[in-house]
Amino acid sequence: MAFLEVDHVDRVFPLPNGAKYIALSNIELKIQRGEFISLIGHSGCGKSTLLNMIAGLDRPTAGGIVLEGRQATRPGPDRMVVFQNYSLLPWLTVRQNISLAVDKVLSTLPKGERRGIVEHHIDMVGLRNAADKKPKELSGGMKQRVAIARALAIRPKVLLLDEPFGALDALTRGNLQEQLMAICEESQMTCVMVTHDVDEALLLSDRVVMMTNGPEAHIGQILEVPIPRPRRRMEVVNHPSYYALRSEIVYFLNQQKREKKRKSVQKVAIARHGLEKINLEIGFVPLTDCAPLVVAKEKGFFARHGLEEVNLSREPSWKAIAEGVATKRLDGAMMVAGMPLAMTLGFGNKVPLPMTTAIVLSRNGNAITLDDRLYEAGVQNLDDLKAAIDCTPDKVHTLGVVHSTSMHNLMLRYWLATSSIDPDQDVSLAVIPPAQMVANLIANNIDGYCAGEPWNSRAVYENLGFVIATDLDIWPGHPEKVLGVREEWANEYPETHLALVKALLEACEYCDDRRNREEILELLCQPQYVGSAPEYTRPGFIDPYTCVHGEEPRILLRFNQFYVDQTNCPRQTESLWILTQLARWGITPFPRNWIEVLERTHRLDIYREATRQLGLPTAEPDRDPFQLFDGKIFNPDDPIGYLNSFEIHRPLKIEEIILDAIEKATP
């Protein structure tokens, strides 16, 4: 258990016109005893607001502050704050200012012991010669030392520092930083500090928490500072990692600066009455997990939210989906999870097209199907497949994937590589539309494929293939399909976009009520949607899932997941994993400005507003590290380290992605 936990905290302020200003959104941070944490970000990002909530001087609108397993709801001597403006009583001396706090908080101690504590802390901050002076007789640095001594003297569990050295000259600031480090190391004090100073953050901190711009500021990245303690300024500056760490923080702050400038000149058409656009063309590919779109149309969720005419355009492939959105033939589309990111990065040597997603439509729902001839040859698991490939070096084993940017491709590659099968050298991967997979298997054009349903179950039902693994075996709960729209479209039609997300949220909730699945199945099997036979559309969606024809089916309740367990939240950590895999296989470069790319592509503000208006839970999942089936840990604060940890990968390219003309003009 963490010593101090900021548990999914939101802070919302009411505005005079009845609106609300969301200062902080979903702040989730776990701090261990003795850690020194710095909060850094541009003005207005809510650093001091967060510090005040930890101190109990302000209350979260949602979430809470937990200290040693108990919620902290009010100020207390276990958390002491050192402010930038010293906050000393001008009519009291140094000794009296410190004594006032000690006598109040430690009143049960004998008077002599309290006096000893005061004198010890006067010596600790080097103010013995000024002990009887009043604040007006002290320099700025001496006043701040008094404030620090007063805070430490009452033996708090957590020391909170709000830019404590911001008003001091460089020499005084340096001396105080050295003293603070020595004190904290001696007492193993847990500290949280707000600062604008990158060098100060690196000198003092174990971790630097970087905050995005407000409104709805959140944690953008957490940087570990692996410089050993005790620290001395010149040793820190000369540490091999120092300038790389410093560059990382400065780069993050510059990304946020560019984003703030972009938003300040962005022209948004804000509707005053109703929606800006009510007739929409939304693309989909015929798969079982297009269910939320079908339900939103057929059950009236689109119409309920003012979208009077939504045409669902059945597209032949994911390539057609991408082209339809890019050419503006489609207003938006159901997309494979990696497609909005890849289009934003300029996938396929195209000009980067900034895309946006504000809702995940489904999770899971895929499987890896192999030809029955491999099963008859003894292939029943990944190691068997590796052995079969090694035994037939003259044969090219071809596997189908639905799109280069799909989870099918990325997870198949990941799965193969864990058994030392290079997906570009040991096998051949071919891009084939989902509905054509079975036909290609019958024609012996491929030896297997990774696709969504109902195309795996059809191969099993017709005794053509067997499922060697489902995505629940590889990464249960992964994002599968999302709603993708052009960023330009989202900015031009913000109220329409919000209405679209709300309608789909309600449809996703309807889809995950299993009492509705029989009705939804009938809709999906209609020819204008999936048009598949019910007998091989039911597995996984309603019935237990059959992996091998004639064998006992498996009960997979989360095989098609549409709403439960915060399915719909577009989580940046998951998309960051997708970015690492796109770069791992040379599909796109890894964006140096990955935080900026994720902020642009993931409209969490739209998702949160939609959930708030619908009265649905707005809490978001933790941004903790996670792992796939092989146990390799993905740390969202070190994506490059994760990329470099793989033995099988293509040459790694890291590039800054220029997203629009505004950024090109930014110095």
Side-chain angles (χ1 to χ4, degrees):
M1 177 184 292
F3 177 67
L4 173 65
E5 183 173 357
V6 182
D7 186 13
H8 299 283
V9 160
D10 292 355
R11 185 63 177 100
V12 181
F13 294 97
L15 299 177
N17 62 359
K20 295 179 180 179
Y21 179 82
I22 305 170
L24 294 168
S25 179
N26 195 46
I27 305 297
E28 191 269 327
L29 181 64
K30 294 179 176 69
I31 301 171
Q32 302 304 319
R33 186 188 297 272
E35 259 198 306
F36 197 117
I37 301 294
S38 286
L39 307 175
I40 197 166
H42 292 297
S43 296
C45 73
K47 303 184 298 294
S48 294
T49 299
L50 177 56
L51 200 77
N52 287 339
M53 288 191 290
I54 296 174
L57 300 173
D58 193 10
R59 294 288 300 275
T61 307
I65 308 298
V66 179
L67 179 60
E68 290 189 308
R70 301 184 65 181
Q71 187 170 4
T73 58
R74 61 183 65 184
D78 52 358
R79 288 150 291 138
M80 280 298 291
V81 185
V82 177
F83 297 99
Q84 186 174 350
N85 60 0
Y86 319 125
S87 302
L88 303 178
L89 297 178
W91 58 88
L92 299 181
T93 65
V94 168
R95 181 178 287 107
Q96 291 169 336
N97 265 287
I98 300 173
S99 297
L100 182 66
V102 172
D103 291 341
K104 178 67 176 176
V105 175
L106 305 178
S107 58
T108 59
L109 295 180
K111 185 175 181 180
E113 187 173 345
R114 297 200 304 269
R115 186 184 304 115
I117 292 171
V118 172
E119 298 303 320
H120 171 71
H121 284 84
I122 289 174
D123 290 333
M124 182 184 290
V125 295
L127 288 175
R128 173 57 55 196
N129 295 331
D132 296 315
K133 292 183 178 181
K134 295 182 178 179
K136 65 180 180 181
E137 303 173 82
L138 306 176
S139 67
M142 295 170 75
K143 292 177 186 176
Q144 197 61 291
R145 278 186 275 170
V146 178
I148 292 172
R150 181 180 59 187
L152 293 173
I154 65 168
R155 303 170 182 174
K157 296 176 180 177
V158 181
L159 181 63
L160 304 169
L161 305 122
D162 193 355
E163 297 194 64
F165 314 127
L168 305 178
D169 63 87
L171 182 60
T172 304
R173 184 188 307 122
N175 290 334
L176 275 181
Q177 288 167 346
E178 295 277 359
Q179 283 187 308
L180 178 63
M181 275 195 297
I183 292 168
C184 291
E185 288 166 12
E186 177 186 343
S187 60
Q188 285 297 294
M189 180 69 62
T190 303
C191 297
V192 181
M193 180 180 70
V194 167
T195 182
H196 279 99
D197 189 325
V198 174
D199 297 297
E200 178 176 82
L202 286 174
L203 176 65
L204 299 177
S205 307
D206 296 302
R207 288 187 293 161
V208 180
V209 177
M210 295 177 268
M211 304 285 292
T212 64
N213 297 329
E216 299 199 47
H218 54 276
I219 295 174
Q221 186 180 359
I222 300 177
L223 189 68
E224 300 273 352
V225 184
I227 301 176
R229 296 186 184 275
R231 295 176 184 170
R232 297 294 178 266
R233 183 178 302 277
M234 291 311 300
E235 293 173 2
V236 168
V237 171
N238 291 324
H239 191 275
S241 301
Y242 178 77
Y243 285 102
L245 294 169
R246 190 181 192 281
S247 175
E248 191 75 14
I249 299 174
V250 170
Y251 190 83
F252 173 87
L253 295 173
N254 284 337
Q255 287 184 72
Q256 295 304 306
K257 183 179 179 181
R258 289 198 298 268
E259 181 67 3
K260 186 174 183 180
K261 183 174 181 179
R262 183 185 70 84
K263 287 183 176 179
S264 69
V265 300
Q266 180 175 293
K267 296 180 180 179
V268 179
I270 300 176
R272 295 185 178 274
H273 303 287
L275 309 181
E276 307 91 347
K277 187 174 185 180
I278 59 176
N279 300 324
L280 301 181
E281 193 81 11
I282 304 296
F284 76 97
V285 170
L287 293 158
T288 304
D289 52 16
C290 74
L293 290 171
V294 174
V295 165
K297 181 175 177 63
E298 295 292 339
K299 300 300 294 183
F301 293 117
F302 286 140
R304 178 187 300 177
H305 291 283
L307 300 168
E308 297 178 3
E309 187 60 43
V310 176
N311 180 52
L312 298 183
S313 176
R314 176 173 162 149
E315 301 291 323
S317 66
W318 294 113
K319 179 180 179 181
I321 287 280
E323 290 176 348
V325 173
T327 60
K328 304 183 182 182
R329 175 175 62 82
L330 299 173
D331 292 285
M334 158 190 171
M335 289 185 167
V336 288
M339 187 174 285
L341 291 164
M343 292 175 71
T344 298
L345 299 181
F347 161 73
N349 296 318
K350 294 183 174 62
V351 175
L353 176 63
M355 296 290 296
T356 285
T357 183
I359 178 174
V360 175
L361 297 174
S362 65
R363 294 178 181 272
N364 308 322
N366 301 327
I368 301 171
T369 295
L370 298 182
D371 194 298
D372 251 9
R373 287 172 298 178
L374 286 169
Y375 187 80
E376 293 166 1
V379 175
Q380 297 187 23
N381 55 46
L382 180 56
D383 290 338
D384 293 340
L385 179 61
K386 166 68 172 172
I389 293 171
D390 290 343
C391 289
T392 54
D394 296 331
K395 174 179 171 53
V396 178
H397 290 81
T398 302
L399 301 175
V401 294
V402 302
H403 195 265
S404 298
T405 70
S406 68
M407 292 300 291
H408 317 76
N409 181 42
L410 301 182
M411 290 177 67
L412 176 62
R413 286 172 172 271
Y414 193 101
W415 181 74
L416 291 170
T418 57
S419 192
S420 299
I421 301 172
D422 190 313
D424 294 315
Q425 296 180 16
D426 298 327
V427 296
S428 175
L429 299 186
V431 175
I432 300 169
Q436 298 177 23
M437 289 295 187
V438 174
N440 277 271
L441 193 67
I442 294 172
N444 294 326
N445 294 331
I446 56 177
D447 299 284
Y449 54 84
C450 184
E453 293 298 339
W455 310 118
N456 302 289
S457 292
R458 179 180 173 183
V460 174
Y461 182 83
E462 296 181 358
N463 207 17
L464 300 169
F466 72 101
V467 171
I468 192 170
T470 72
D471 47 13
L472 293 175
D473 300 318
I474 301 172
W475 181 11
H478 71 83
E480 175 51 31
K481 303 300 189 309
V482 301
L483 174 69
V485 301
R486 299 184 313 280
E487 183 185 64
E488 176 190 22
W489 186 94
N491 293 337
E492 186 175 358
Y493 307 116
E495 294 298 328
T496 300
H497 187 204
L498 179 61
L500 183 58
V501 172
K502 288 194 293 184
L504 289 171
L505 272 171
E506 291 191 328
C508 286
E509 185 178 22
Y510 190 91
C511 288
D512 251 357
D513 185 337
R514 298 190 71 85
R515 295 170 298 182
N516 301 324
R517 289 283 177 96
E518 292 285 356
E519 174 195 14
I520 297 169
L521 179 72
E522 291 184 13
L523 295 174
L524 291 175
C525 291
Q526 293 179 17
Q528 70 269 33
Y529 296 128
V530 182
S532 54
E535 52 267 29
Y536 55 75
T537 310
R538 297 179 65 90
F541 189 70
I542 296 175
D543 296 342
Y545 193 84
T546 301
C547 292
V548 180
H549 186 81
E551 292 192 1
E552 189 72 21
R554 300 163 59 188
I555 298 175
L556 303 177
L557 292 179
R558 296 293 176 84
F559 185 75
N560 288 118
Q561 183 176 320
F562 299 103
Y563 179 77
V564 298
D565 288 346
Q566 301 167 309
T567 286
N568 308 116
C569 181
R571 309 173 196 177
Q572 294 187 2
T573 53
E574 295 171 336
S575 291
L576 180 56
W577 182 90
I578 293 174
L579 288 177
T580 66
Q581 300 307 297
L582 291 173
R584 178 185 181 184
W585 305 115
I587 299 168
T588 66
F590 185 81
R592 175 75 175 87
N593 51 329
W594 55 268
I595 294 175
E596 188 174 20
V597 168
L598 292 175
E599 291 288 328
R600 290 281 288 271
T601 54
H602 288 63
R603 290 297 300 273
L604 281 165
D605 57 329
I606 299 296
Y607 169 77
R608 295 183 191 116
E609 183 60 26
T611 56
R612 280 192 289 267
Q613 290 190 17
L614 293 173
L616 299 174
T618 59
E620 298 163 28
D622 296 348
R623 61 185 304 279
D624 294 338
F626 60 85
Q627 62 189 32
L628 277 65
F629 76 106
D630 62 335
K632 184 184 287 289
I633 302 295
F634 173 66
N635 180 358
D637 294 311
D638 187 20
I640 302 299
Y642 182 72
L643 260 175
N644 288 329
S645 70
F646 291 106
E647 292 184 7
I648 300 178
H649 59 83
R650 305 287 79 84
L652 179 59
K653 295 181 180 179
I654 302 177
E655 298 178 5
E656 177 141 358
I657 305 301
I658 304 301
L659 297 177
D660 53 37
I662 294 172
E663 291 181 1
K664 292 177 183 177
T666 302

